[in-house]
Amino acid sequence: MTPFPRDAYAPLEPYAPDRRPVPLDLSDNTNRWGTHPAALEAVRTAPVEALTRYPSVYADALKEAISRRFGVPVESIATGCGSDDVLDSTFRAAGEPGDRIVYASPTFSMVDPLARMNGMVPVPVEWAPGRLPSPEQLLAPDPALVYVCRPNNPTGEVPPRGWVEALVEAIGPRGPILLLDEAYADFDDGGFLEQAATSKRMIVVRTLSKSFGLAGLRVGFGVGAPEVIRQVEISRGPYKVNRLAEAAAVAALDDAQGWIPGVIDEVRSLRSWLAAELTERGTPPLPSGANFLLIPVGGTGAAPPAPGAAARIVAGLREHGVATRPFTDLVGIHEGVRVSIGPRHELERFLEAWDHVMGAQR
Ligand SMILES: *Cc1c(COP(=O)(O)O)cnc(C)c1O
């Protein structure tokens, strides 16, 4: 008899981020400008059938909208209930229970649990800021899948394009699947969607939870070669994108020039502005290609200060009405505070709180 709970689940806990209400939430990188007006309109004017009938099995209308927007063929697109669902399906499609999932770490906190949920073995490889592991280091553990987040959550670092190409080259035509998580690629150089559509080994995963402002509706997608995508869809199963989510996502995707590029431009310029403000205060953030900044707060080098700095600062910011996210065990920088980029008045409010808390720390 298999023990219950099963052994692979022993290290797992329910996901429990701090979701207590707060006046200003800059903790989860969702869109602080709201959502696309056409997406909201689609939900508000949805017909009764959007609730009473099943959605299409594999979200065909959504795939067509993604194809129109990003210029990749429909056969190269898989969708899901958030990109977490696409990551989950891809892990499962790429390997058997017991196989290894290698990832450059620190990275997205869901990678380790998603691997374990599938009975697979997560293998982190150290990624200090500015010091990416080599393709050889990532491939040495003989993984079924290599996960790379670009731009990376929580550091914001963007692996150079040449590094990704060298990794694809090292993997070759029969190596492990490379999963590039491009949740934040809109805020940087747009990523590798086109290459993924024809690559035999690379899958790019995107979400509508961040730049599109649709986190509440849970829509994500993956792009890869048709034969790879087919396996991801088999692994995923039917009916994962509900009708309201699909209608809203299609409306937002079909507007290539309007609301979303405007938000992206603002995020980029406010990211530079906030980085300069923090640097002036003696707390420079890491360079970021995403809609957040990670501020190292745990000292550097051989002599880290006492642990707990990030948790203390985040608790202090919350007392001033601002939610951020603490990180510990970060290779090279020990601890950090991650803050999402919002409109200017929100960042000014964050800086006011930061000054209070950091003043009190000294
Ligand atoms: C936010 C985020 C996601 C998005 O997940 P959804 O399930 O689409 O909301 C995926 N990957 C990374 C790295 C993220 O930060």
Side-chain angles (χ1 to χ4, degrees), residues 10-11 15 23 120 146 184-185 203 237 240 245 248 267 269 282 293 311 314 326 338 345 349:
Y15 186 54
M120 302 174 88
V146 177
Y184 302 99
I203 294 187
K240 292 301 181 78
V267 165
S269 76
L293 292 172
V314 166
R338 193 190 66 194
H345 65 275
R349 186 164 171 186

Side-chain angles (χ1 to χ4, degrees), residues 79-313:
T79 63
C81 176
S83 61
D84 284 7
D85 188 26
V86 184
L87 300 179
D88 186 33
S89 310
T90 306
F91 283 16
R92 213 168 27 249
E96 300 288 352
D99 281 353
R100 284 177 284 277
I101 306 257
V102 166
Y103 60 100
S105 172
T107 197
F108 188 36
S109 63
M110 287 305 295
V111 174
D112 177 287
L114 281 173
R116 294 181 197 274
M117 283 155 59
N118 286 300
M120 302 174 88
V121 181
V123 182
V125 176
E126 282 197 354
W127 178 4
R131 305 177 60 121
L132 272 162
S134 67
E136 293 69 33
Q137 283 173 296
L138 290 174
L139 298 176
D142 188 26
L145 182 142
V146 177
Y147 172 95
V148 175
C149 189
R150 181 184 190 277
N152 188 37
N153 181 3
T155 60
E157 185 168 343
V158 184
R161 296 190 78 87
W163 180 88
V164 175
E165 283 153 9
L167 180 55
V168 170
E169 183 78 23
I171 285 172
R174 274 173 297 279
I177 297 288
L178 169 61
L179 197 171
L180 261 194
D181 186 337
E182 294 191 341
Y184 302 99
D186 286 348
F187 302 107
D188 188 59
D189 66 1
F192 282 85
L193 274 185
E194 277 169 45
Q195 292 88 330
T198 53
S199 164
K200 296 276 181 278
R201 278 292 172 263
M202 174 165 58
I203 294 187
V204 161
V205 174
R206 292 283 185 98
T207 178
L208 272 60
S209 296
K210 309 287 159 58
S211 54
F212 282 77
L214 294 173
L217 289 178
R218 315 296 300 122
V219 182
F221 65 94
V223 170
E227 59 271 33
V228 180
I229 285 301
R230 185 181 147 81
Q231 297 306 309
V232 173
E233 286 200 327
I234 290 171
S235 162
R236 189 206 74 161
Y239 303 130
K240 292 301 181 78
V241 179
N242 72 70
R243 281 182 176 242
L244 290 176
E246 182 167 30
V250 168
L253 283 160
D254 275 342
D255 176 13
Q257 300 308 320
W259 190 85
I260 288 157
V263 166
I264 290 169
D265 283 349
E266 271 201 76
V267 165
R268 286 194 182 135
S269 76
L270 287 164
R271 182 174 70 200
S272 305
W273 176 78
L274 182 61
E277 289 286 325
L278 286 164
T279 302
E280 215 167 89
R281 287 162 166 79
T283 49
L286 299 182
S288 170
N291 68 339
F292 57 79
L293 292 172
L294 184 71
I295 312 160
V297 297
T300 50
R312 276 197 305 278
I313 293 167

Side-chain angles (χ1 to χ4, degrees), residues 308-354:
R312 276 197 305 278
I313 293 167
V314 166
L317 292 169
R318 184 173 267 276
E319 274 171 32
H320 286 85
V322 184
T324 54
R325 186 78 54 96
F327 288 87
T328 55
D329 303 321
L330 299 171
V331 187
I333 59 167
H334 307 296
E335 298 202 3
V337 173
R338 193 190 66 194
V339 57
S340 308
I341 302 297
R344 170 97 176 216
H345 65 275
E346 295 191 352
L347 299 182
E348 281 168 356
R349 186 164 171 186
F350 160 77
L351 281 172
E352 227 172 90
W354 182 259

